[in-house]
Amino acid sequence: MMKTLVCMEPGTLHYGTADIPEPKEGYATLRIRRIGVCGTDLHAFEGTQPFFSYPRILGHELAGELTDTGNAESFEIGEKVTFIPYYNCGHCIACRSQKPNCCVNLQVCGVHTDGGMREYLHVRTDLLVHGDGLSLDELALIEPLAIGAHGVRRADVSPGEYVLVVGAGPIGLGIMEFARIAGGQVIAMDVNPQRLAFCKDKLGVNHTVNALDADVKEQLMAITGGDMPTVVIDATGNQKAINNAFYYMAHGARYVLVGLQKGELMVSHPEFHKREGTLMSSRNATRADFEHVIASMKKGLVDPNVYITHRVDFDEVVDNFESWLKPENGVIKAMISM
């Protein structure tokens, strides 16, 4: 038997047990060692996560050791690995277009199917990712950083242009990192002064703006020499923040929505139209994004350990989970050890 942790309903986590999965054709078995807690998990606990049903085992930012390779080529038992937690169908229009991250029939581990808050997990062999000498902590942070890398790739950031990243949570911080790597001049926006200070002190972001200030547009004009940002990327998943950011776009700018909320987009059509703005969504990440993150880590361009602010053992999760929702606790990334 193995230990499990199930989100039974919003606000309720319950420890349980289940059978250890038997070997299965096309699947490797992963002994889970690290679980990163992401916004999806926290929003599921709150009851505000779209595309979600209960009960559900949470967790998709995972690292572990292979106990069965499922005959995956070039993988070995005992190897430290992570995996791409987006189960695509392989035959829909998105998959045929090499966009498995937005598969029509997508099943995300820990959202649509049970995730990794348990001791063992079956993983499709085609989604395994070599550890490449990285630590377990680093491997568990590849997926959220890959989401940021994918958003930056969607925006096609060019060297020197101003990139406004709205939301300084873990995904937003990853976007800032990869916008910087792409050569962008990053502007961080958030309502939390602690997180804005983190951007400056830990990530070296030169420009920060508090979204609650009365003169946000004036600050952005001053930073950009009167042009406004040519790339705006939302990582808040907050309806008001998403709608407001349309007005922070330069003429000809691209706006990429990485954050997700349940409501409607609201913008003055003339304001958007006169800018000839480009609006895009960015969903999940691809293997190319995972590889970009791994390469950036190995080159020292990204220090994933900076993100880990809270650590707990698996048996301590229930006692601590709700506290990670409180801004005053300063959580960037909580990491669970198994």
Side-chain angles (χ1 to χ4, degrees):
M1 302 295 285
M2 64 174 175
K3 297 177 183 177
T4 64
L5 181 58
V6 184
C7 187
M8 304 300 296
E9 60 186 8
T12 303
L13 292 169
H14 176 71
Y15 286 110
T17 59
D19 292 332
I20 295 175
E22 296 289 334
K24 181 180 178 182
E25 185 176 355
Y27 287 80
T29 304
L30 190 59
R31 170 72 166 94
I32 302 299
R33 293 297 188 189
R34 295 289 188 278
I35 307 161
V37 178
C38 78
T40 299
D41 302 321
L42 296 171
H43 295 154
F45 182 80
E46 283 183 311
T48 58
Q49 176 61 35
F51 314 134
F52 202 84
S53 61
Y54 303 86
R56 179 69 65 220
I57 297 177
L58 306 176
H60 62 266
E61 298 179 3
L62 305 170
E65 299 165 351
L66 286 172
T67 60
D68 182 84
T69 66
N71 295 318
E73 186 176 350
S74 79
F75 287 88
E76 299 178 355
I77 290 176
E79 181 179 351
K80 293 183 178 68
V81 298
T82 186
F83 75 105
I84 301 170
Y86 322 126
Y87 295 129
N88 64 302
C89 71
H91 55 75
C92 71
I93 179 62
C95 291
R96 297 197 310 273
S97 302
Q98 306 305 308
K99 296 180 179 180
N101 56 299
C102 62
C103 167
V104 173
N105 305 298
L106 194 68
Q107 298 283 295
V108 179
C109 178
V111 179
H112 307 97
T113 64
D114 283 338
M117 289 193 183
R118 47 180 158 173
E119 291 183 276
Y120 293 89
L121 178 68
H122 270 155
V123 174
R124 242 173 55 187
T125 54
D126 63 305
L127 299 176
L128 287 172
V129 177
H130 285 290
D132 207 12
L134 298 176
S135 70
L136 289 167
D137 286 344
E138 290 169 330
L139 289 172
L141 286 165
I142 290 173
E143 191 271 344
L145 289 170
I147 289 175
H150 187 72
V152 170
R153 186 154 64 95
R154 289 280 287 155
D156 193 22
V157 173
S158 297
E161 68 178 329
Y162 285 98
V163 181
L164 172 63
V165 181
V166 186
I171 299 299
L173 296 175
I175 294 168
M176 294 175 204
E177 294 264 62
F178 286 94
R180 169 184 56 79
I181 290 169
Q185 300 188 63
V186 176
I187 308 167
M189 179 179 289
D190 203 283
V191 298
N192 186 326
Q194 284 180 294
R195 291 203 164 180
L196 292 175
F198 185 95
C199 294
K200 274 186 174 290
D201 299 340
K202 301 297 185 181
L203 300 189
V205 174
N206 292 324
H207 308 289
T208 61
V209 176
N210 192 313
L212 298 179
D213 290 346
D215 62 342
V216 168
K217 289 184 182 179
E218 289 76 10
Q219 290 184 56
L220 292 174
M221 290 282 283
I223 292 168
T224 61
D227 291 335
M228 299 298 278
T230 50
V231 174
V232 178
I233 306 179
D234 177 82
T236 66
N238 176 276
Q239 187 178 39
K240 184 177 180 181
I242 290 170
N243 291 339
N244 284 345
F246 279 97
Y247 301 95
Y248 305 150
M249 299 171 63
H251 283 235
R254 291 97 71 203
Y255 186 10
V256 181
L257 301 180
V258 178
L260 178 65
Q261 50 87 31
K262 290 183 175 181
E264 297 180 348
L265 298 177
M266 299 290 289
V267 62
S268 163
H269 191 173
E271 286 295 322
F272 183 66
H273 196 92
K274 75 180 183 181
R275 288 170 168 80
E276 198 178 52
T278 299
L279 177 64
M280 292 176 276
S281 60
S282 177
R283 190 179 186 192
N284 302 320
T286 66
R287 184 172 289 275
D289 301 310
F290 275 65
E291 291 171 351
H292 181 33
V293 171
I294 292 169
S296 298
M297 285 183 179
K298 293 179 73 67
K299 291 175 184 176
L301 299 175
V302 176
D303 180 6
N305 295 302
V306 166
Y307 295 81
I308 302 173
T309 55
H310 294 66
R311 292 182 181 273
V312 298
D313 291 329
F314 187 67
D315 293 337
E316 302 171 316
V317 175
V318 169
D319 292 336
N320 287 274
F321 201 93
E322 189 170 2
S323 71
W324 298 333
L325 290 161
K326 299 176 181 177
E328 62 267 25
N329 289 329
V331 178
I332 299 297
K333 178 62 62 179
M335 186 65 70
I336 302 166
S337 297
M338 293 281 281

